[in-house]
Structure formats: structure tokens, C-alpha cells
């Protein structure tokens, strides 16, 4: 899906470049912004659906009293999916930034200042979004490690409790 949307973004840039006689440059910038917003909404909806599916699988696993390992694996899968989505969003934000920057330069060169300023604003917004996502680099590894350590600690505590019960039962008999 991300590749398709990235292709649509590139196509949008080409279409905006080809617009001329029928539309003024400022109007094409507005259309580009609307298209970008629609694409981002579609990506967000798809991402939410995938994470909701993971949440449902985890709830069902707990309801059916699946093993802690199975539940842990699902939780780790969800965490990995979140990171995959963040990286795809990071890549898209960088691509959108570069596309808007190209359009800004294009219209500035044509002395279409209203359109160039709109594309400059789009580029700045995408750059801001890119750096917000980039600040999260490395967080997945930390979160995954914490989850693994907590899971292993819990497993160890449960094993110790089982061993204590066996010892007590053995002493009784």
C-alpha cells in the first residue's frame, strides 16, 4: 500500500507541474495539499486497522487463556508493526518534503510567489513531521528489550513459584 501511495504522490507532483493554462499555480498548490491530506488519512486508517487487528488477536488470546508466550509473541508483533508503520511514515514524510521543496523551487523560479510560498509551507510542515518521527529512532529497540526482560522476569518468577509448590507438595507426601 505504501508503494502505491508513494506512486500517487509522485504522480501528483508531475500533474501539478503540468498544470498551467487551466489553473493558476496557487490553486494547484491547494489541490496538492488536499491530495496529500487524503493520502495521509488513508494511510492512517489502514495503520489503525492493522493495529486494531493485533489488539483483537491479543484480547482473544487472553480470553481463550492462551499461553503467556503466545500472548507475548502477539504483543511483540504489534510493537514491531508500530515500528514498521513509523518507518514507513518517516520515509513518506521525507519524500513529501522533497516533493514540496521541488515544487517550491519550481514555482519560485517561475516567479509564482504565492504558489511557491504555499509549497514552502508544505515543505516546512513535512520537515517538522519528519523530525518528529525521526526523534523516535531507537525507541522500538528499547521498548522491545524492556518487554522481553519483563516477560523473562515474570516467567522466572512463575517458575520459582511452581518449584516452591512442588517442594511443598513433596514435603507433605
Amino acid at each position: 500500500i505504501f508503494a502505491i501511495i508513494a506512486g500517487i504522490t509522485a504522480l501528483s507532483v508531475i500533474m501539478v507541474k503540468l498544470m498551467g493554462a487551466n489553473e493558476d499555480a496557487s490553486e494547484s498548490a491547494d489541490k496538492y495539499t488536499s491530495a496529500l491530506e487524503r493520502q495521509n488519512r488513508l494511510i492512517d486508517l489502514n495503520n489503525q486497522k492493522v493495529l486494531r487487528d493485533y489488539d483483537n488477536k491479543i484480547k482473544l488470546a487472553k480470553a481463550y487463556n492462551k499461553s503467556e508466550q503466545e500472548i507475548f509473541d502477539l504483543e511483540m508483533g504489534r510493537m514491531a508493526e508500530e515500528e514498521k508503520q513509523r518507518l514507513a511514515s518517516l520515509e513518506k514524510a521525507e519524500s513529501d518534503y522533497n516533493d514540496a521543496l521541488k515544487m517550491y523551487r519550481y514555482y519560485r523560479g517561475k516567479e509564482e510567489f504565492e504558489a511557491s510560498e504555499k509549497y514552502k509551507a508544505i515543505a516546512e510542515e513535512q520537515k517538522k513531521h519528519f523530525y518528529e518521527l525521526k526523534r523516535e529512532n531507537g525507541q522500538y529497540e528499547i521498548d522491545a528489550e524492556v518487554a522481553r526482560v519483563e516477560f523473562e522476569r515474570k516467567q522466572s518468577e512463575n517458575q520459582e513459584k511452581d518449584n516452591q509448590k512442588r517442594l511443598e507438595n513433596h514435603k507433605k507426601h
Side-chain angles (χ1 to χ4, degrees):
I1 286 180
F2 177 72
I4 293 169
I5 293 172
I8 292 169
T9 301
L11 182 61
S12 297
V13 170
I14 292 168
M15 287 174 45
V16 169
K17 282 185 178 183
L18 295 176
M19 290 181 199
N22 297 338
E23 294 184 32
D24 73 341
S26 180
E27 190 176 326
S28 69
D30 292 338
K31 286 186 176 184
Y32 177 79
T33 301
S34 294
L36 198 57
E37 288 170 357
R38 279 192 308 277
Q39 290 168 4
N40 289 336
R41 263 194 310 269
L42 288 173
I43 291 170
D44 287 344
L45 288 172
N46 183 63
N47 288 347
Q48 289 170 9
K49 182 198 176 309
V50 171
L51 293 178
R52 187 176 54 246
D53 288 348
Y54 266 102
D55 290 340
N56 288 336
K57 287 176 185 177
I58 292 167
K59 287 177 189 176
L60 286 170
K62 288 177 180 178
Y64 285 110
N65 214 15
K66 296 290 183 175
S67 72
E68 289 181 19
Q69 182 67 51
E70 289 173 293
I71 294 168
F72 173 75
D73 290 343
L74 288 169
E75 290 170 342
M76 292 301 289
R78 185 190 193 286
M79 197 180 298
E81 178 61 33
E82 281 182 298
E83 178 64 1
K84 179 179 150 191
Q85 290 177 7
R86 187 192 66 80
L87 291 173
S89 294
L90 181 70
E91 187 176 318
K92 183 177 183 316
E94 183 178 31
S95 174
D96 292 346
Y97 165 72
N98 288 329
D99 291 344
L101 195 59
K102 287 175 191 172
M103 297 306 294
Y104 162 71
R105 291 177 180 147
Y106 172 79
Y107 283 114
R108 189 182 64 191
K110 289 183 74 173
E111 296 185 1
E112 295 277 353
F113 297 114
E114 185 179 348
S116 70
E117 286 305 309
K118 285 184 178 187
Y119 280 107
K120 182 179 179 183
I122 295 167
E124 288 171 353
E125 183 65 30
Q126 291 304 317
K127 185 177 181 180
K128 178 182 168 188
H129 183 59
F130 172 80
Y131 282 112
E132 287 171 357
L133 291 167
K134 192 164 179 78
R135 276 195 295 273
E136 294 293 318
N137 281 357
Q139 190 61 46
Y140 165 72
E141 288 81 10
I142 292 168
D143 291 344
E145 181 65 21
V146 168
R148 274 190 290 278
V149 168
E150 288 176 351
F151 176 75
E152 289 168 0
R153 180 178 41 80
K154 188 175 180 182
Q155 292 292 94
S156 177
E157 289 171 358
N158 289 342
Q159 184 65 40
E160 184 63 32
K161 286 178 186 177
D162 288 346
N163 289 343
Q164 287 293 334
K165 285 181 183 177
R166 280 191 215 125
L167 184 61
E168 289 173 12
N169 286 336
H170 183 67
K171 286 181 182 178
K172 288 180 182 178
H173 296 287

